[in-house]
Amino acid sequence: MHIPIISKTMNSPKIIFLFLLLVLPSYIFAQKENTIFSDKKEYEKETEALPAEHFYQQRAYPDEQLDLKAYLNAFQKASLQDEARSGAQTGFELPWTLHGPTNIRGRVNTIAIHPTNPDIALIGFATGGIWRTINNGTTWLPVFDKQTVTAIGDIAFSPSDPNIVYAGTGDPNITGYPFIGNGVYKSTNAGVTWQNIGLAETRVISKIVVHPTDPNIVYVGAMGLPFERNEHRGLYKTTSGGGSWAKIYYFSDQAGVIDIAMNPQNPQQLFVAGWDRIRNNKESIISGPNSRVVRTNDGGNLWTTQFIGLPITNNGRIGLSFSPASSGTVYAMYSDDNANMKGIYKTLNGGTSWKSIVTNTNFMQQVMGGMAWYFGKIHVTASEIYVLGVDLWRSKDDGILWDNLSEGTDAHVDMHDIILRGNSIYLGSDGGVFKSNDDGISWQNFEQIPSTAFYKVTTNPFQKGIYYGGAQDHGTLVGNKTDISNWKNIQSGDGFRASFTPENSKRIFTETQMGNLWISKDSAKTFQLATFGISGSDRTAWDTPYFVSKINSNSMFIGTNKVYKNHNLDNPLWTVMSTDLTNGNIFGPQFHVITCLDESKQDSNRLYTGTSDGKLWTNLTTPTTWQDISLGLPNRYVTSVHTSPSDSNTVFVTHSGYKDNVFTPHIHKSINNGTKWTAVSGNLPLLAVNDLFVLPNHADSVLFAATDAGIYATKNSGVFWQRLGNNMPYVPIYDVEWDEPNNLLVAATHGRAIMTYPIDSVTYNPPPPPLLLSISGKINTFVTDKNIKNVSISAFFENKTIVTKTDSLGIFKFENKIKQGSTVVITPTKIEKGANGLSTSDLLEMQKHILATKKMINSTSIIAADANRSGTISTADIIMTRKIILGLQDTFPSGISWRFVPKNYIFPDFANPFSPPFPESVTINALDSSRTDINFTGIRIGDTNESAKTDLFIPTNTSNKKNDAVIKKNKVLEKN
């Protein structure tokens, strides 16, 4: 959660100082919120979803919700490219070096400990995958990095065979952008390796329960895809270890399963909690009529849905736990529609009747902090009740009195999982895993797990190799690999860019969420707000862009929905230098903000800025006159803009967003200040590109792209891209920077800490002569399979066209003619005059089709009958064809006598090949190897029965003759 350093108690002078220093000025700057939060929990209630909103809105704009198919396809292509390593380049397969931190971790959703060997444990992170220890937490290794998803919802060992482990993917603590999964995974070696075993369509798995004596019987609770209502949610069961699955209970299309409790003495009895939860850009549901408890006594065949004493309406998230003291004792913790605790209910008779056991209303209001949708598990022992909320609470008297076990300790807030083993308590939170060996009096954290979610990273010019990273929930962190487990926190909140000025080593700028810019003049000992002059009514991005000029060290710039400039770095006072550069507040303030800024490397007065609603601007003429240079760019969220290190007219821009079957490049380049744009995405998978680094002194040919699936690099100006390194998981990278003294690329990963890669290994070489590739194929008829000769084949690429013809076997070939990386369009044409193949039998076929006495069944015959290319068959086609047969006309008015359809094209509706319109050419995007499979089917217009001669050729300048004369002349020409 945000600003985690502020304790729930205000007794410490240090805490009071940090509260005044960090929080109060933020309220002054955020006047537009009109809210003064009374404490940390209330603040978190309002802002918890914002980091996820930031991620989600980028990738959805301009649509309401993320295009899931396109998102997953992009990752699949990235994975396939990684496996193939096609065209692998030297220096691209070295390992990334981890710099940490390992002492400041990300959110843990689930903990699983080996049933018989407590030294073996698995941890599942919200975005960092699965980590494994075999020495009780002394060291950890990632074991899920080969997968394309890194969000883990639950992990469960089989009690009877601990070598079998099940893991569910997706994040059940559903925020504005719920990190989605692709089903259930299974390990048969205690978590070392994993295999997907299905339920991919459920997207978010909340709970896994394995039968105590049969490892093949597994129950899985699924929340489904939170963006939309669908049927892929509920309780699933397998009796074959994942070989097949059955959905055995379904709440509704907007409610999934959030918790499952199995009777430890009778595994046929289960209690299941449903939860109404929908979250997208337009809708957030956290409670509803299906948030309730159901029970089965026979493993899922029959269900009981009505119980005496449980709340009926306006319920939110529910947690369940069986008491090991009695098989009939079960606890259910309910939240209300305000995301606070509604109550804890207990049954002593296996669910027949329930009673509320908590009467302390102050406790119920406090424990969840208004965020019961974000957590809400309950765990019961023989004599204790544990509640996981903002803090960890325990009652030893069945809910009358409660102790806060984490307040004032080293344990991080926001609790998501708990395991009690012997005298130890294991606790999973937003800050990693903590362990207590003294009944919760003190907590120690498990280190050696680099899972910090960074937004930005900066190198300190006065401290070689020291990195300043802005992290979600952990502010600004400082360190590197030399002291990897001892990174320091210099500021709290959600951290972003840190900046330095070359003439003053003590001056540091940092930033927290929503554009709160800070300045320290004493090497980060104290900070002051540095936003004076910026209007409180401005709209600001979650990660508001700003920078200190590298040309004029007395200037700095920041973007809200306008651009501001400051000339006094010690005492910043901002002056506005633009109007609103977005489309205006149409869909809400978070959709219309400035998202990136950069200056020309040669002229500090020339700026470029991009927005969340697809606009790109420059002030090329005067500092306060802005030109829209978005023409030619996709209408997508602009993630970054970067000017060339050497050419004052060259600029690069990157975009986010996913859209199925819309192959929009995410990197563009202009060599004339944005007048015209060229895509430089090459073979890059259609992943969101979050940032770009242009390596100086290499003529803009060496580029590094930070994407949702790691870093990609190119050495030839974007023609060919390759994923960089051999050990980075498929994790989002929001920022990529250059450690110039060490010549290292520095990646701010969002879930796997800070990593570096040696740029020296990606040595720039002058681009070799372009590799010329071949394209070939064959053209024949559909039914009779005749070869069609003398078809003219054009290949259009790089604004030029080359032409060849099919030979007597209907084969064409462009031998070593096409430049590698080109987008090529292959189009056949055949000009023919006269009635070749056309006869009264064709007219009769058309007439029968029109009168519906005998419909044509082949798509090719139907296309042939459409003589006037209207997309339908009518008497006009018969009249036009008859004129050709009678010799009244040489050819059809369109001038086209043959049509060609790609051989591999499948008509969606064979009875209506015109809807949708069928292709008449083949487009090859970024040709990377020679092709021999570009085949077409030829269709002679008017020839519904395929009787046309396929070797007939008439030059385009042939005079108007009757058909028999045309054929005779053509044969003479061919003999000569």
Side-chain angles (χ1 to χ4, degrees):
M1 311 303 280
H2 313 309
I3 314 186
I5 199 168
I6 300 173
S7 174
K8 276 67 70 180
T9 59
M10 298 296 291
N11 297 326
S12 165
K14 177 182 178 182
I15 298 303
I16 295 173
F17 169 75
L18 286 169
F19 182 82
L20 294 173
L21 174 65
L22 297 177
V23 181
L24 293 181
S26 301
Y27 298 149
I28 296 171
F29 180 55
Q31 297 173 46
K32 55 184 174 294
E33 298 296 335
N34 295 318
T35 302
I36 300 296
F37 300 108
S38 59
D39 58 22
K40 169 182 174 286
K41 295 173 186 175
E42 188 177 351
Y43 172 81
E44 289 178 345
K45 175 182 176 182
E46 297 296 323
T47 61
E48 173 57 36
L50 287 177
E53 298 279 3
H54 166 82
F55 185 99
Y56 177 47
Q57 289 158 4
Q58 279 194 25
R59 288 148 182 78
Y61 178 82
D63 302 317
E64 289 188 11
Q65 64 185 46
L66 179 75
D67 190 320
L68 179 63
K69 183 178 179 182
Y71 180 81
L72 296 176
N73 284 346
F75 276 83
Q76 183 181 24
K77 181 176 180 181
S79 176
L80 292 173
Q81 280 188 1
D82 233 16
E83 291 176 6
R85 282 287 178 176
S86 176
Q89 302 180 70
T90 303
F92 279 64
E93 296 188 349
L94 299 180
W96 286 85
T97 298
L98 177 68
H99 286 262
T102 60
N103 60 315
I104 302 171
R105 290 152 305 282
R107 169 156 56 97
V108 168
N109 278 340
T110 180
I111 309 167
I113 299 178
H114 193 286
T116 59
N117 183 355
D119 286 341
I120 299 175
L122 299 166
I123 293 175
F125 285 85
T127 59
I130 299 176
W131 291 73
R132 184 174 189 263
T133 181
I134 58 173
N135 50 24
N136 198 25
T138 302
T139 58
W140 295 84
L141 289 174
V143 292
F144 209 70
D145 285 4
K146 296 299 182 182
Q147 313 305 326
T148 56
V149 297
T150 57
I152 308 300
D154 197 29
I155 304 172
F157 279 92
S158 164
S160 59
D161 184 356
N163 282 322
I164 297 178
V165 195
Y166 296 91
T169 57
D171 180 10
N173 304 308
I174 297 166
T175 57
Y177 180 83
F179 288 91
I180 57 175
N182 61 356
V184 180
Y185 285 76
K186 182 178 181 179
S187 173
T188 56
N189 50 19
V192 177
T193 58
W194 297 87
Q195 180 181 4
N196 188 290
I197 57 170
L199 297 185
E201 68 281 356
T202 63
R203 300 306 171 200
V204 172
I205 289 172
S206 59
K207 186 72 173 181
I208 298 176
V209 176
V210 186
H211 192 282
T213 60
D214 187 344
N216 291 314
I217 298 177
V218 185
Y219 298 88
V220 170
M223 283 302 298
L225 181 64
F227 308 147
E228 64 185 28
R229 289 166 176 80
N230 62 42
E231 296 183 354
H232 300 303
R233 38 173 56 94
L235 182 67
Y236 293 81
K237 180 180 180 180
T238 180
T239 58
S240 57
S244 62
W245 295 90
K247 183 160 63 174
I248 60 173
Y249 197 83
Y250 175 66
F251 285 94
S252 83
D253 63 355
Q254 71 172 26
V257 170
I258 191 59
D259 207 358
I260 308 168
M262 176 184 282
N263 189 330
Q265 299 177 32
N266 176 15
Q268 290 288 92
Q269 185 182 66
L270 295 94
F271 287 79
V272 178
W275 182 28
D276 293 86
R277 183 66 167 130
I278 296 292
R279 189 67 176 95
N280 55 44
N281 271 355
K282 303 296 183 183
E283 187 177 16
S284 180
I285 293 175
I286 62 171
S287 62
N290 301 290
S291 293
R292 53 192 173 88
V293 173
V294 299
R295 183 194 66 199
T296 179
N297 292 326
D298 58 6
N301 295 312
L302 299 175
W303 292 88
T304 302
T305 61
Q306 302 294 325
F307 302 103
I308 299 172
L310 285 180
I312 299 174
T313 60
N314 299 323
N315 297 321
R317 184 168 177 170
I318 301 171
L320 295 169
S321 182
F322 260 94
S323 169
S326 168
S327 64
T329 303
V330 189
Y331 290 77
M333 182 171 67
Y334 276 66
S335 62
D336 60 25
D337 52 5
N338 290 318
N340 286 311
M341 178 188 284
K342 177 176 280 191
I344 298 177
Y345 302 85
K346 177 182 178 181
T347 179
L348 298 173
N349 51 22
T352 301
S353 60
W354 300 72
K355 69 174 182 178
S356 174
I357 64 172
V358 179
T359 59
N360 188 330
T361 56
N362 289 333
F363 167 74
M364 288 195 290
Q365 288 295 313
Q366 181 181 7
V367 63
M368 294 298 167
M371 294 189 305
W373 54 268
Y374 187 59
F375 30 61
K377 291 185 180 180
I378 184 172
H379 180 80
V380 180
T381 69
S383 59
E384 299 169 333
I385 305 171
Y386 292 85
V387 168
L388 281 69
V390 176
D391 298 303
L392 175 65
W393 295 83
R394 179 175 66 187
S395 174
K396 293 186 176 183
D397 54 11
D398 212 32
I400 299 173
L401 299 175
W402 292 88
D403 295 319
N404 190 328
L405 297 187
S406 57
E407 182 180 32
T409 71
D410 291 332
H412 198 285
V413 294
D414 305 327
M415 311 305 176
H416 299 289
D417 202 10
I418 187 172
I419 290 183
L420 278 70
R421 178 65 66 87
N423 295 322
S424 298
I425 305 174
Y426 298 84
L427 185 62
S429 75
D430 270 15
V433 174
F434 294 81
K435 180 182 179 182
S436 176
N437 294 320
D438 54 14
D439 202 35
I441 296 173
S442 63
W443 298 87
Q444 65 185 43
N445 58 48
F446 283 141
E447 297 191 0
Q448 311 303 324
I449 308 177
S451 54
T452 317
F454 280 99
Y455 290 111
K456 301 291 184 184
V457 64
T458 305
T459 58
N460 187 337
F462 304 102
Q463 295 175 285
K464 185 177 180 180
I466 299 296
Y467 303 123
Y468 284 64
Q472 181 181 334
D473 205 20
H474 292 293
T476 302
L477 308 175
V478 183
N480 66 8
K481 67 176 182 179
T482 59
D483 201 2
I484 197 170
S485 296
N486 194 32
W487 277 55
K488 306 298 182 185
N489 179 290
I490 64 170
Q491 193 178 45
S492 295
D494 285 281
F496 298 96
R497 175 78 64 207
S499 294
F500 302 86
T501 53
E503 77 286 351
N504 186 344
S505 62
K506 295 183 178 181
R507 184 195 291 143
I508 303 172
F509 290 95
T510 61
E511 188 182 29
T512 53
Q513 63 269 26
M514 308 305 294
N516 286 288
L517 186 66
W518 305 84
I519 182 174
S520 174
K521 304 173 189 177
D522 54 11
S523 300
K525 294 182 179 65
T526 62
F527 283 89
Q528 296 173 325
L529 196 65
T531 57
F532 301 105
I534 299 175
S535 173
S537 64
D538 281 7
R539 301 184 297 274
T540 54
W542 176 248
D543 174 7
T544 297
Y546 84 95
F547 68 88
V548 179
S549 173
K550 287 183 167 54
I551 302 174
N552 183 354
S553 60
N554 290 320
S555 297
M556 60 189 305
F557 302 87
I558 193 169
T560 58
N561 56 308
K562 309 169 192 143
V563 177
Y564 287 81
K565 185 175 184 178
N566 168 52
H567 289 290
N568 188 341
L569 268 59
D570 271 332
N571 298 289
L573 179 61
W574 296 90
T575 57
V576 67
M577 58 182 301
S578 81
T579 58
D580 186 351
L581 296 180
T582 73
N583 289 324
N585 190 357
I586 302 171
F587 301 111
Q590 71 270 30
F591 290 93
H592 305 283
V593 292
I594 288 175
T595 53
C596 54
L597 275 172
D598 197 18
E599 66 181 350
S600 166
K601 304 300 188 293
Q602 294 78 32
D603 181 0
S604 63
N605 287 319
R606 185 187 303 174
L607 303 178
Y608 294 86
T609 182
T611 72
S612 59
D613 49 17
K615 290 293 185 181
L616 193 71
W617 301 83
T618 185
N619 61 345
L620 189 62
T621 54
T622 68
T624 58
T625 302
W626 294 82
Q627 295 86 47
D628 184 347
I629 54 173
S630 309
L631 185 64
L633 293 174
N635 181 27
R636 289 290 177 182
Y637 191 111
V638 183
T639 52
S640 76
V641 60
H642 295 278
T643 60
S644 166
S646 55
D647 185 349
S648 62
N649 297 315
T650 297
V651 61
F652 296 84
V653 61
T654 65
H655 292 83
S656 185
Y658 294 90
K659 187 70 173 177
D660 189 33
N661 291 325
V662 177
F663 302 100
T664 302
H666 285 149
I667 308 176
H668 288 80
K669 174 184 178 181
S670 174
I671 59 173
N672 48 22
N673 299 300
T675 302
K676 183 179 179 181
W677 295 95
T678 302
V680 291
S681 296
N683 63 322
L684 192 67
L686 292 176
L687 299 156
V689 177
N690 306 309
D691 194 23
L692 190 74
F693 171 61
V694 184
L695 186 64
N697 305 317
H698 287 81
D700 297 339
S701 61
V702 180
L703 312 174
F704 300 92
T707 78
D708 276 0
I711 299 285
Y712 284 77
T714 177
K715 297 197 295 183
N716 54 13
S717 303
V719 174
F720 182 82
W721 294 83
Q722 184 173 317
R723 196 162 181 265
L724 195 60
N726 61 14
N727 64 336
M728 180 180 283
Y730 295 93
V731 63
I733 312 295
Y734 284 154
D735 187 32
V736 57
E737 300 294 331
W738 184 26
D739 178 356
E740 185 175 1
N742 296 303
N743 202 24
L744 296 173
L745 193 71
V746 189
T749 80
H750 199 71
R752 293 299 285 270
I754 299 295
M755 295 182 176
T756 62
Y757 195 88
I759 290 180
D760 285 342
S761 69
V762 190
T763 304
Y764 172 72
N765 296 313
L771 179 62
L772 297 179
L773 302 176
S774 301
I775 293 178
S776 62
K778 185 176 182 181
I779 301 182
N780 53 16
T781 56
F782 177 66
V783 175
T784 58
D785 199 30
K786 296 178 182 178
N787 303 325
I788 306 176
K789 66 181 296 186
N790 284 322
V791 178
S792 179
I793 312 294
S794 67
F796 177 79
F797 63 100
E798 294 191 335
N799 294 319
K800 64 181 180 181
T801 301
I802 58 176
V803 180
T804 188
K805 285 187 173 65
T806 55
D807 60 17
S808 60
L809 298 178
I811 295 172
F812 71 90
K813 187 169 186 178
F814 297 99
E815 181 117 24
N816 299 327
K817 299 288 188 181
I818 316 295
K819 184 178 177 182
Q820 184 184 38
S822 300
T823 294
V824 189
V825 180
I826 304 295
T827 307
T829 56
K830 185 172 175 65
I831 304 298
E832 185 172 307
K833 296 184 178 182
N836 175 32
L838 309 187
S839 66
T840 54
S841 64
D842 297 309
L843 301 179
L844 185 59
E845 291 281 340
M846 295 181 194
Q847 184 174 353
K848 289 178 180 179
H849 185 86
I850 293 169
L851 297 175
T853 58
K854 183 181 179 182
K855 289 281 189 178
M856 289 180 279
I857 59 174
N858 289 332
S859 297
T860 53
S861 297
I862 298 171
I863 293 170
D866 182 23
N868 62 0
R869 299 171 62 91
S870 65
T872 60
I873 302 174
S874 66
T875 54
D877 300 307
I878 295 177
I879 293 171
M880 193 173 292
T881 306
R882 182 183 289 117
K883 289 180 179 180
I884 303 295
I885 295 171
L886 296 175
L888 300 177
Q889 290 183 351
D890 280 4
T891 186
F892 297 100
S894 66
I896 302 297
S897 51
W898 287 77
R899 300 181 77 172
F900 300 89
V901 182
K903 197 77 170 180
N904 61 358
Y905 178 73
I906 299 175
F907 292 95
D909 183 356
F910 285 94
N912 183 10
F914 308 108
S915 180
F918 57 88
E920 298 190 65
S921 62
V922 171
T923 300
I924 306 171
N925 290 303
L927 180 68
D928 56 6
S929 60
S930 293
R931 297 284 296 271
T932 60
D933 59 345
I934 310 303
N935 304 317
F936 290 85
T937 296
I939 304 166
R940 168 67 164 130
I941 296 177
D943 180 22
T944 62
N945 57 13
E946 279 197 13
S947 61
K949 295 183 178 181
T950 58
D951 61 348
L952 197 66
F953 174 69
I954 299 295
T956 57
N957 61 351
T958 302
S959 59
N960 187 9
K961 301 290 184 180
K962 289 186 180 286
N963 192 49
D964 55 348
V966 170
I967 295 173
K968 181 178 180 180
K969 184 175 182 180
N970 190 56
K971 289 182 176 180
V972 172
L973 289 172
E974 287 183 342
K975 289 179 180 180
N976 294 332

